[in-house]
């Protein structure tokens, strides 16, 4: 599920025009953000010519992820060039996250926060008991712009070659850039690093709208994280899907029909039909649609092997394999990755960037994180054929099992699903030494 109300790990801020579309081709992973307090300072970026002198780090990707890591690296005194197809602009997708998983500075970028967050896998309702935030993308960009000063070049990176102690990156139109280290934050497609999807991509897809309603489609003031109930016959056939919804104030709601993970995945038209059938069946058809959104991204990416190019965000396999979340994790990852890269580059000014790439990778994928992620992906491979009824039952168990305890360094990688999951054959044993941060549901009743 995502982290915002708009298309993921979801969602969004329905402030965007009718047809905000996020697909795997748009490198949604470029949407992570950095993790340090904002400060007033020089403008984030200056537009630069298409050819340039060498820099310490060249970051490919113009979303929150690439921008956040660029800010963190520049704040540590490195010379940074960020290459993206567009000039600096508010991120077009919408993002949501558990408030407690956002760094303190990013919590200040929340446009809206819900404390009534709930799940329906049947009856009764399951309250999740943890505040959920919708990020204000304009505020997020302003915060990053005030973090440090680095060069932003509008262009498209096409290929990279070793040259002496660094890299030469070629772009469209004959552009050439030089750097000691390349960071690929270009999203699921990964322009320079390679991302593998065992058996082919298994996608999370979703279709949603921001609309006005005469009757509330969900309880006013609430955020519905998952509603697996099936009030319409259309919802009882084929893949299991669920409603993801947010009350945005007054008579405005964001409602989205989501397929958590499937191969092949439900199409946009199918999910649109399901959403409208759900709303009609419960007597809450929209009376005016302001915007719509389409989400499609792979959930089963393997982390690429460490190499001379440092992948970041979705390009590094950092989409959460159970929920699809990625924004809050990226905000938390950026400072540690930047520390590791900076230290490695400063140890030897004349060396290749391989040590820096290895150091950044170790910070991004510590030994405690990889085995749980592999376990979860293994479990998913056996869940794609589940019926809708089994999905509802399993989701109910998933959300009501007790919280785990384990080393703090392990709390962000796995989730409850992995806690009880059979192991994939690696040396890691589920339930032994890793934990999740999802709260145990409090004992209270919601309307």
């Amino acid at each position: 599920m995502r982290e915002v109300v708009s298309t993921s790990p979801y969602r969004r801020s329905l402030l965007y025009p009718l047809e905000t579309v996020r697909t795997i081709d748009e490198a949604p992973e470029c949407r992570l953000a950095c993790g340090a307090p904002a400060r007033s300072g020089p403008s984030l970026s200056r537009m630069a010519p298409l050819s340039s002198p060498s820099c310490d780090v060249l970051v490919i990707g113009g979303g929150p992820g690439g921008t956040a890591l660029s800010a963190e690296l520049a704040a540590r005194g490195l010379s940074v060039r960020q290459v993206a197809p567009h000039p600096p602009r508010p991120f077009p997708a919408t993002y949501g996250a558990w408030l407690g998983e956002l760094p303190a500075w990013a919590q200040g970028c929340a446009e809206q926060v819900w404390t009534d967050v709930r799940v329906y896998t049947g009856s009764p309702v399951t309250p999740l008991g943890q505040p959920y935030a919708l990020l204000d993308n304009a505020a997020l960009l302003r915060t990053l712009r005030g973090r440090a000063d680095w060069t932003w070049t509008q262009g498209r990176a096409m290929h990279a070659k070793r040259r002496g102690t660094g890299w030469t990156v070629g772009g469209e139109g004959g552009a050439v850039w030089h750097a000691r280290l390349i960071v690929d934050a270009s999203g699921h497609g990964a322009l320079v690093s390679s991302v593998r999807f065992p058996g082919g991509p298994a996608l999370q897809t979703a279709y949603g709208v921001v609309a006005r309603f005469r009757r509330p489609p969900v309880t006013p003031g609430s955020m519905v994280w998952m509603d697996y109930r099936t009030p319409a016959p259309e919802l009882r056939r084929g893949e299991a899907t669920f409603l993801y919804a947010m009350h945005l104030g007054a008579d405005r709601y964001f409602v989205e029909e989501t397929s958590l993970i499937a191969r092949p995945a439900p199409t946009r038209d199918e999910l649109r039909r399901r959403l409208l059938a759900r709303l009609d069946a419960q007597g809450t058809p929209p009376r005016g649609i302001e915007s719509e959104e389409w989400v499609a991204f792979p959930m089963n990416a393997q982390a690429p092997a460490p190499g001379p190019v440092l992948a970041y965000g979705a390009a590094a396999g950092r989409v959460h394999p159970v929920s699809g979340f990625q924004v809050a994790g990226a905000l938390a990852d950026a400072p540690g990755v930047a520390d590791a890269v900076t230290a490695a580059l400063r140890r030897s000014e004349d060396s290749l960037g391989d040590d820096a790439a290895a150091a950044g990778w170790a910070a991004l994928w510590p030994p405690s994180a990889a085995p749980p992620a592999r376990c979860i992906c293994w479990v998913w491979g056996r869940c794609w054929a589940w019926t809708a009824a089994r999905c509802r039952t399993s989701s109910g168990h998933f959300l009501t099992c007790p919280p785990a305890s384990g080393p703090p360094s392990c709390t962000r990688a796995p989730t409850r699903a992995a806690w009880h999951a059979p192991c994939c054959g690696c040396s890691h044993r589920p339930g032994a030494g890793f934990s999740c941060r999802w709260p145990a549901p409090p004992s209270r009743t919601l309307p």
Side-chain angles (χ1 to χ4, degrees), residues 303-339:
V309 172
L310 175 59
Y312 192 74
R318 293 294 287 177
V319 175
H320 197 291
V322 168
S323 68
F325 276 42
Q326 57 193 357
V327 174
L331 295 171
D333 288 338
V337 172
D339 283 341

Side-chain angles (χ1 to χ4, degrees), residues 27-30 32 186-190 195 301-302 304 312-319 326:
E29 223 14 12
C30 288
L32 318 173
S186 60
H188 297 287
V195 180
Q302 283 185 344
Y312 192 74
R318 293 294 287 177
V319 175
Q326 57 193 357

